Amino acid sequence: MEKVTIATVARRAGVSRQTVSNVINTPDVVREETRERVREAITALGYRVNQAARQMRTGRSRLIAVRIEPARDGINGSVLDRFLHGLTDAAGLAGYRVMLYTADGDDAEIATYDELLSAYDLDAFVLTSTHHGDPRTSWLAARDVPFVTFGRPWGAPDTHSWVDIDNAAGTAAATEHLLAAGHRRIGFLGWPAGSGVGDARREGWHRVLGPWGPSAATVDGVEPGAAAASSLLRSDDPPTALVCASDSLALGALQAARETGRDCAVVGFDDTAVAGAIGLTSVSQPLAEAAARCMGLLGELLDGRAPSFPTTVLLPPSLVVRQTA
């Protein structure tokens, strides 16, 4: 059986060997259509990067680490699961393996960094769930450990490279969709102030609607969402539509609408499998692309090709319309 090489993949995909190498090592520099064609060829041919030879040549382990988020309500927890799936795919194509770990809180995660770096020859970390006052990035930077984050450094200077979703653009699109459907009293159901992601999602709604429109804030989850939405829908001037910061809150809002007998259109955020199953309009994050861009930025850092200043990538979400609002 003929040995599968980069040249074999290049012939199959109809591209140059350099393009195949770019897809493996720096996928963000290749057009998406070409990238997918090369990846299909890699999968079809069963091409594998020779990790042992690469490690001897580069002196690197080709191993990166990322945290598994704690289980929540089984709905929005799937969002980062999809990101991890995309990151694992992108890492594999670039010749890396992904190590998963758990940690409950920033201090525990930093302690885990110390343990992992002592026990394993890790090349880098990918951090998720960034937030105001996040101490994890400064800990890694102080020790010259390469990393990128899926999430911007909220309220802090851009001292490291990151990839994020334009959350405000997502809720703005949802609000504009509801306005186009004829709604004028559009409420927002979100999280308590202080969450970078939550505040950005509220900002998108506010940007389109201005100072008008009722809002409520609660912790994430179906039951808390139902309780908060119920208070809005039982008011003297209830909203006819709600933009929600998550699909969990949106499910709660739908439950409250049924219980109160109010006719209320609902739009969620994250486009989870549950949203698809029940026909809920929701904002979809380009998680596979975000993961590939994170991997591309890591590749630049590890190969010494990163620019002298941090690279920031803000990706636009899309609105998946499934119901008549």
Side-chain angles (χ1 to χ4, degrees):
M1 184 177 180
E2 180 186 0
K3 180 181 178 181
V4 179
T5 65
I6 282 184
T8 314
V9 174
R11 286 196 300 272
R12 173 77 174 239
V15 298
S16 67
R17 285 180 294 179
Q18 183 59 52
T19 298
V20 175
S21 179
N22 286 341
V23 169
I24 293 171
N25 296 294
T26 54
D28 56 297
V29 304
V30 183
R31 287 187 310 168
E32 183 177 358
E33 179 184 350
T34 304
R35 194 165 62 226
E36 288 305 312
R37 194 164 72 246
V38 171
R39 286 174 174 172
E40 288 173 1
I42 288 173
T43 301
L45 294 169
Y47 174 70
R48 291 178 179 271
V49 178
N50 189 323
Q51 300 291 1
R54 176 179 270 181
Q55 184 170 348
M56 290 180 64
R57 185 172 67 251
T58 63
R60 299 206 303 266
S61 66
R62 315 297 293 190
L63 184 63
I64 62 174
V66 61
R67 184 182 72 174
I68 301 176
E69 294 293 313
R72 292 186 290 170
D73 58 12
I75 300 173
N76 291 312
S78 66
V79 175
L80 282 173
D81 288 346
R82 284 151 53 198
F83 173 79
L84 287 177
H85 186 95
L87 184 68
T88 303
D89 283 346
L93 288 169
Y96 286 85
R97 293 169 297 157
V98 176
M99 173 183 286
L100 304 178
Y101 62 90
T102 60
D104 185 13
D106 292 338
D107 290 342
E109 185 163 3
I110 289 172
T112 302
Y113 295 161
D114 205 16
E115 293 172 5
L116 291 176
L117 290 169
S118 299
Y120 301 95
D121 186 18
L122 290 175
D123 282 346
F125 288 85
V126 176
L127 276 58
T128 60
S129 299
T130 57
H131 54 84
H132 291 288
D134 196 330
R136 301 172 299 167
T137 55
S138 56
W139 191 94
L140 291 170
R143 290 156 180 79
D144 293 322
V145 178
F147 70 93
V148 298
T149 64
F150 176 40
R152 70 194 78 181
W154 300 100
D158 291 330
T159 56
H160 64 269
S161 294
W162 54 263
V163 177
D164 202 4
I165 309 299
D166 192 341
N167 290 280
T171 47
T175 308
E176 289 167 351
H177 167 73
L178 292 168
L179 284 171
H183 295 279
R184 291 299 176 265
R185 188 157 175 77
I186 303 170
F188 181 76
L189 185 56
W191 306 319
S195 158
V197 172
D199 291 349
R201 293 182 183 181
R202 188 182 193 283
E203 165 60 26
W205 163 79
H206 187 269
R207 182 192 305 165
V208 174
L209 214 56
W212 304 279
S215 65
T218 184
V219 295
D220 202 37
V222 177
E223 292 307 318
S230 181
S231 66
L232 292 175
L233 295 174
R234 293 182 189 278
S235 65
D236 293 336
D237 190 12
T240 63
L242 284 172
V243 174
C244 301
S246 71
D247 283 351
S248 289
L249 293 178
L251 287 175
L254 290 173
Q255 178 180 315
R258 288 193 301 270
E259 292 174 350
T260 60
R262 298 289 192 182
D263 185 12
C264 182
V266 176
V267 177
F269 204 113
D270 289 329
D271 191 31
T272 59
V274 172
I278 67 172
L280 172 69
T281 294
S282 185
V283 178
S284 176
Q285 301 189 51
L287 296 169
E289 183 180 359
R293 297 300 292 270
C294 282
M295 199 61 233
L297 293 179
L298 266 189
E300 290 181 352
L301 282 173
L302 296 171
D303 292 341
R305 296 179 291 103
S308 57
F309 49 88
T311 301
T312 62
V313 180
L314 192 61
L315 299 174
S318 59
L319 185 66
V320 180
V321 178
R322 296 192 178 92
Q323 64 185 15
T324 302

